[in-house]
Structures are given as C-alpha cells and as structure tokens.
Amino acid sequence: MSEITLDTLKPGELARITKVRVKGPARRKLLDMGMVAGSEVELVRKAPLGDPIEFQIKGYHLSIRREEASQIFVQMIE
Amino acid sequence: MENTKIRVALAGNPNVGKTTLFNAITGSRQHVGNWPGVTVEKKTGVRTYRGYDIEITDLPGTYSLTAYSLDEIVARDYIIEEKPDIVIQIVDASNLERNLYLTTQLMELHTEMIIALNMCDLALERGDKLYIDKMQEILAAPVVQTVASRDIGIDELLDRVIEQKQDDKYHGREIGYGDVIESKVLEIEKILLTDPSLQKKYPLRWMSIRLLEGDGNVKAKVEKSPVSTAINQLLASIDQEEYEAEIADKRYVAINAIFPQICTRCNVRLTKSDMIDRVLTNKYLGIPIFLALMWGAFELTFAFATPFTDMIERAFVWLAVNVSSGLEPQWLASLIGDGIIGGVGAVLTFVPNIFILFFLLSLLEGSGYLARAAFIMDRLMYKIGMHGKSFIPLLMGFGCNVPAIMAARSIEDEKDRLITILVVPFVSCGARLPIYILLAGAFFGRQAGTVVFFMYVLGIVVAVISAKLLRSTIVKGKPAPFIMEMPPYRVPTLRTSIVHMWDNGAMYIKKAGTIILLGVVIIWSLASFPWGIEYGSEGSYVGMIGHFFTPLLEPLGFDWKMTVALVFGLVAKEIVVASMGVLYGVGDNPEALTTNLIADPSITALSALSLMVFSLLYMPCVATLGVIKKETGSWKWTAFAFFYGIAVAWIMAFLVYQGGKLLGY
C-alpha cells in the first residue's frame, strides 16, 4: 500500500501514521502530542484560508500547518 | 515541633483546568511573580487545611517535560531542583490518552504524585466509564476525581496530600522502553554513576533517557561533569532522531496498554464542540464571525471603560488643582500637582481598559475561542512573518497599546512574542485620535475623515513592514510552527476570569507604574526648570530641548512649539493636544486652538500631516514603554523600541513633508 502525506487527506478521511520526518523542535513537540507511528489521525477540517489543518488524534483535536503535515507520512485506513 | 508545611506543585497540560483548580484551592490568597531569571509567571498560594500549611506552586502548563520551551524547562527544573513534597498532576478526564503522556514523564522524576482527575463531569456526561481503583493500582498513585469549576473534590484532594505526606503509601512506577533502549540507558547510567555529584542531584535513569532523546538542557547539566567526554562519545555513536521517536512511541505504547483498563470511552462521532466549530471556523463564515466578535469585544471594552476613564481623569485634575493650590513654595505645588498627581493619574486612566479587556480575553480563552482565533488568522499572519497568536494583541493595539503588549503573553515562542511587542506600538491607539481630529479638522476640511483613515492604514502598513524587517534582520528565522490543541468549547468560569483580570491589572499598576512615574517626573523637571520660569515655556529645559532639536525636526516641517508638544506626548499622546493649547496660549479651548493653528504661518497643511505621521509612529507613551520593559525584561529591547520608533517616525514624516513639497504642496 502506498504512502501519502498527512496534508493530502480530505476532511473526514482516516489514516495511520507511519513516519514522522519533521525536523527540529517541532519534531519533539509533535511526538509529545501523539503524532507517533501507529497513531490514527482523522482530518477534521481546514482553516478558512486553507491552512492550518485540524486533525483528530488520540481523542482530541490538534492543529498544525500544511508545512509540517507534508512531512508526516501516513497510510489510509479503509 | 512537627513540620506542618507541605510544598505542592501543580502540573498539567494546558486547557485541563489547572488555573481553575489553583484558584479553587488557594482562593484569593495567591502571589504572582516571575521565576527567577525568566519572564515566565510564577503563581504561588498558601492554603491552611487541617493544621497544615499547604504551599501550592502553579507550574506552567506543558504537554511534556522533555524541555524545549521555556515553560517546560521551568516546570521540570522546579520539580527536580526545588524538590516539592508532592506533585499533583491535573488530568483532563475527557482527554486521558494524551494527558497520561505527561504522567509517564513525571513518574521518571521520582516525585510523590497525586492525580487529580479533573472535568470528570464532562467525561461521564459523554458516557465514558472511568475505573478509578484500577487507575490507582496501575499508576501507583492516588487518584482523586475533581470538578474544579464547581469546587467538587477539592477537600478530598487536600486530604490525599496530607495522607501522602504522613505515610507515603504509594510509590511510583516506571515504564519500560524495550531491550534496545533499555540497554543503552543502562550503559549511560553506568557512566553517570562514576560522578557521585550527579547522582545526588538527579535521578540517573531519567537523565539517561533524556540524553538519549537529545535533550540539550540535560546535556548542559552533564557538560560540567568529568563524565561528559564519555557521554558525548556514546551519544555520537547513535541516531538520536531514531531514539527520540522510539522513546515517544514507547510511552504511547505503554499508555495504549493502560488506557483500555482504566477507561472505556464512548465514541460520540459529532460532539457539541464539533457542531459549534462547523459554524465558527466555517470556510465562509469563520472570518466574518471572528471579526464581528473582536469588534464586539472592542466596543464593549471602550463603552464600559470610557466613563470610568473620564471619571479618573476628572478626579485627578480636581485633586491636582485642590492639593497644589494650598501648597508653598510653588515648585513643590507644581511637583505634586503637575508631576506626581498627574503621573499617578496617567497610570490609573489605563486601568479600566486593562481590567475590562483582560476580563473579556479571559472569557474568550476559557471558552476555547482564542485557539480558534489563532487557527483562523494564522495563514494571514504567517505571510507577514508572525504567528496566528499575534493577531489578537495587534488588534487590541487599536484601543490601547498597553494591554495589547501584555496580551502578547499568550505567545509561547520568544521570537514571535518579541516581534509582536515591538510592532504593536505602530498600531494607532485611541489616544492618538485627538491629535488627528485637531490637525486634520483644522487643515483638511472635508477630507479630514480620509486623512484620519490614512493614519490608521499607515500604522498597520508600518507594523507589517517592521515585522518583515525584524524577521529578516535582528530576530531571524521563521515564525514558530503552529502546533496547537483545539480545546473543546466550554462555559468559562467567572472566578477564573475575575482573578485573571485582577492579576493583570494589579501587575500593570505595580510594575509599569513605577517606570511611568519616573518618566513623568523627568518630564515635569524638564518643564519646570531652571528656577523661576513658567511651566513648559520657551525658557524651560523642555523649551530648550525643543529649540535644540528643531534643526533635526525642521526637515519635517516642525518648529520648536511642535517639538515641545511631541516631547510632552511621550507621557501620553493625549497630552500633545493639551500642550499645544498651552503653547498657543489658549488653554483647553479647542476652537481657539484651531483658529490659532490656522493663523500660525509656521504650520501648513503639509506640516500638519507630517506632524500626524510623526505622532502616530514615534515612541507611543511612557506607559507603553514601561510595559515593554516589564514584558521583555530587557532595557536593551526597551531602548530599541524607543529609538526604532523615533527613527521610523522621522523617516516617514520626512518622506511626507519633503515629498509633499516636491509635489508642490
């Protein structure tokens, strides 16, 4: 199954994280917030101007910018 | 005698009701200060309960103790270095999974821990089931259910604190990280053990794990030890990023194993929060609703504050006149009347604005909307080199720069915050409006409205350009990544909002007040000396300064009178108009002032425009300067703000005046 990045999901789509390629302090923060391999994420909505994007993960809502989301790899969950 | 003091630290994620719980425990007996050496706020309070003095310190809200941000370092250093007797972790019962992440980290610090399972009502209402006994057993720590907003479970929590202090029934537990990591942890621990001074100060297992994660703060602690070479060698041989991800991963694996045993979550697909967000962050409605809400908050602030502000102003004018009229000699009367009472008045006139604005902001924050505001505006703000969270402070600047700069506290990243603080003064505050009204009214007739509008736009443009400029020069780098929890919408608690309002208002009076008073007394001295001159006249020092700077300000079209008015404007921009009244000998009669201004050949429409531009952009006022000093904690940045503002004002006014002349005006 092919890997896509988190920013390419559509609202309501569910995926599982495979790899976090974000660098720097943001990496640490994302890991702490539950963006670790194996976690399920759902894209909830995009901000009115298209960025940032809101996800549901570990039972809560987290928003990140498209830039970071494009460095997180996921697999779709059917 | 038995020691009856218990030191308790409150830790927890943001948005779990930490502040509400802190207020519920300590009531009004709390103290706000700064952590030594950093600008992060430190709140402490004492609660006497069953003969014990329980001293509670509210640690900054953090998701993790793997220190990257200042908040995390402060929270963690307090626990390790100050060694509180007990750490209470406040856990959001409706958001257990992520909250337990902090729990796993607190365990590693070997502190006595109590878990306050807060907002149980929300979780239970939603249909979740919580197994408290199982949770106590697995986490090896007492668990108390609380609803801080309704004072439920507070006494029980304090009972547990005392129990735990008397006989430590529970001992912490740790999580395992798997064979590969554990063997590395042991290796590092072995090296660390050769330096006995480290063992006395820090839990070594914790230290080893942090080193594997690439924690710079812990690395610095080891740097001074003789074992540092060996440690660095070992760390150089591993892929730290891999370890970092693996360790975070293992913590969540551990949580996933625990979680189903202590909670069965009812999965409601569409919660109330979600439905509200469908409207409030809607693609088309989101921005209009946001702007309407901000406009409403703004109107409300000034509608409520203006009567109080007017009252305070009038009271101080009355006081100054009455106190100083009976005083001899005259210089003393002037010092007390014009200087000190005037100065205290200038400090206090901002208080109603600050109180109301912070009350409303706290309501917005408590309801969860402030996070949405940043979410909605981030894209736009990012484009101009700022963070979504900077929007609210900038917007508040239109009312008064002072609370606007204080509101920048919600921005965690130091650089983002500094830039916001430095550009807020360019946003045209309410105090500058009288200057525009006077000058535009006198010289621009029917175009007056357009000119005033132009001033506001110019302020925004200069703020935006300054943000870009600062980003590319002295505060280099991109805005911090936007990684933000969208908390569920809640009804904010009145007590938290009132305490928040009170804390900020009192802080302003105390800290900024001293600097403002100092500034006011300096300007009073300049206007009153040398001996025997009339207050603020051509012969006073301020008059001399006016003359001295005139050559510098002449290219902008200003004579000495305008210069003096601008010097007085440093106290508060409202004073620019008043001092022009004094200098033109018409007191506070606006019509006579307008007539005299038009009649004065040294002021033309062009120089009036230039004066407005200068008034807009040069250093806002002593109160704002005081707050910049307080919020940045640095004289360097305060001086920078002062001189940068003047430089920008000079350049822009020069362009307007000389450009206008070239165009033949």
Side-chain angles (χ1 to χ4, degrees), chain A residues 19 22-38 42 44-54 56 58-68, chain B residues 63-64 66 68 95 97-98 101 213 241-242 244-245 248-249 252 256 265 269 274 277-278 281-283 287 375-376 378-380 382 387 478-486:
Chain A
K19 184 108 188 120
V22 183
K23 305 269 176 217
R27 176 187 178 81
R28 168 86 270 153
K29 180 109 195 225
L30 287 171
L31 293 175
D32 286 342
M33 303 290 278
M35 288 270 182
V36 293
E42 180 193 331
V44 178
R45 63 173 60 84
K46 293 173 183 176
L49 298 170
D51 196 17
I53 311 169
E54 184 177 340
Q56 183 162 20
K58 308 248 175 232
Y60 78 102
H61 289 242
L62 179 70
S63 285
I64 63 176
R65 290 203 188 107
R66 191 176 287 280
E67 192 179 336
E68 273 75 39
Chain B
Y63 292 105
S64 157
T66 317
Y68 260 106
N95 191 357
E97 249 175 306
R98 198 207 55 223
Y101 189 80
E213 281 184 287
E241 260 190 15
E242 279 299 315
E244 192 181 20
D249 214 34
Y252 274 111
N256 286 343
R265 192 161 56 200
R269 290 299 298 162
D274 255 324
D277 260 341
R278 289 206 166 176
T281 59
N282 179 279
K283 193 172 175 186
I287 292 176
F375 178 67
I376 291 170
D378 182 68
R379 170 80 186 204
L380 207 68
Y382 186 75
H387 195 271
K478 281 197 296 184
F482 189 94
I483 301 174
M484 204 164 149
E485 183 187 0
M486 299 281 116

Side-chain angles (χ1 to χ4, degrees), chain B residues 15 92-95 118-128 130 146-147 149-150 272 488-491:
Chain B
N15 308 311
D92 176 355
S94 60
N95 191 357
N118 199 25
M119 304 204 258
C120 285
D121 53 338
L122 289 181
L124 298 177
E125 209 175 275
R126 196 169 69 180
D128 291 4
L130 301 160
T146 58
V147 183
S149 56
R150 287 191 268 134
K272 260 186 241 161
Y489 288 101
R490 290 183 194 122
V491 180

Side-chain angles (χ1 to χ4, degrees), chain B residues 321-363:
Chain B
V321 170
N322 282 281
V323 170
S324 57
S325 66
L327 277 175
E328 286 292 338
Q330 225 202 318
W331 68 266
L332 185 68
S334 173
L335 173 65
I336 290 177
D338 299 324
I340 293 171
I341 296 178
V344 173
V347 174
L348 292 184
T349 43
F350 292 108
V351 168
N353 284 311
I354 290 172
F355 270 52
I356 296 167
L357 215 47
F358 276 103
F359 181 75
L360 291 176
L361 261 182
S362 174
L363 287 184

Side-chain angles (χ1 to χ4, degrees), chain B residues 322-597:
Chain B
N322 282 281
V323 170
S324 57
S325 66
L327 277 175
E328 286 292 338
Q330 225 202 318
W331 68 266
L332 185 68
S334 173
L335 173 65
I336 290 177
D338 299 324
I340 293 171
I341 296 178
V344 173
V347 174
L348 292 184
T349 43
F350 292 108
V351 168
N353 284 311
I354 290 172
F355 270 52
I356 296 167
L357 215 47
F358 276 103
F359 181 75
L360 291 176
L361 261 182
S362 174
L363 287 184
L364 282 176
E365 188 174 6
S367 71
Y369 188 71
L370 222 47
R372 271 74 183 185
F375 178 67
I376 291 170
M377 297 313 292
D378 182 68
R379 170 80 186 204
L380 207 68
M381 297 306 289
Y382 186 75
K383 289 225 149 144
I384 59 174
M386 297 174 89
H387 195 271
K389 286 185 178 174
S390 304
F391 190 82
I392 301 270
L394 281 184
L395 195 81
M396 283 169 59
F398 285 113
C400 174
N401 292 173
V402 172
I405 287 170
M406 288 166 75
R409 266 184 223 164
S410 64
I411 305 164
E412 294 119 3
D413 184 75
E414 277 303 303
K415 285 180 179 177
D416 289 347
R417 184 156 166 247
L418 183 62
I419 288 187
T420 309
I421 290 174
L422 292 176
V423 306
V424 161
F426 294 121
V427 176
S428 191
C429 69
R432 293 169 222 190
L433 190 59
I435 308 175
Y436 309 151
I437 291 176
L438 172 75
L439 293 169
F443 292 98
F444 290 91
R446 269 201 285 171
Q447 269 95 54
T450 319
V451 170
V452 174
F453 179 73
F454 167 74
M455 285 300 140
Y456 279 89
V457 173
L458 181 69
I460 299 165
V461 171
V462 170
V464 169
I465 294 175
S466 294
K468 283 232 162 212
L469 200 71
L470 288 167
R471 270 291 174 207
S472 57
T473 54
I474 40 175
V475 198
K476 275 211 174 78
K478 281 197 296 184
F482 189 94
I483 301 174
M484 204 164 149
E485 183 187 0
M486 299 281 116
Y489 288 101
R490 290 183 194 122
V491 180
T493 57
L494 195 63
R495 178 168 55 198
T496 301
S497 294
I498 289 174
V499 169
H500 184 78
M501 166 183 95
W502 183 256
D503 282 352
N504 281 293
M507 180 102 73
Y508 164 74
I509 296 172
K510 254 192 287 180
K511 293 282 177 54
T514 48
I515 296 169
I516 298 165
L517 259 186
L518 182 73
V520 169
V521 170
I522 289 173
I523 293 196
W524 171 84
S525 317
L526 291 176
S528 312
F529 294 109
W531 283 107
I533 50 95
E534 197 185 320
Y535 183 78
S537 68
E538 206 172 348
S540 68
Y541 285 129
V542 85
M544 290 180 209
I545 290 173
H547 277 292
F548 179 79
F549 282 111
T550 304
L552 211 64
L553 296 180
E554 226 164 28
L556 317 180
F558 304 162
D559 68 350
W560 77 271
K561 280 184 197 161
M562 290 188 189
T563 314
V564 169
L566 290 173
V567 174
F568 280 116
L570 289 172
V571 177
K573 294 215 167 163
E574 292 98 328
I575 299 178
V576 172
V577 172
S579 41
M580 286 182 119
V582 173
L583 294 165
Y584 279 92
V586 291
D588 53 4
N589 180 345
E591 275 164 43
L593 182 55
T594 306
T595 323
N596 282 13
L597 277 174

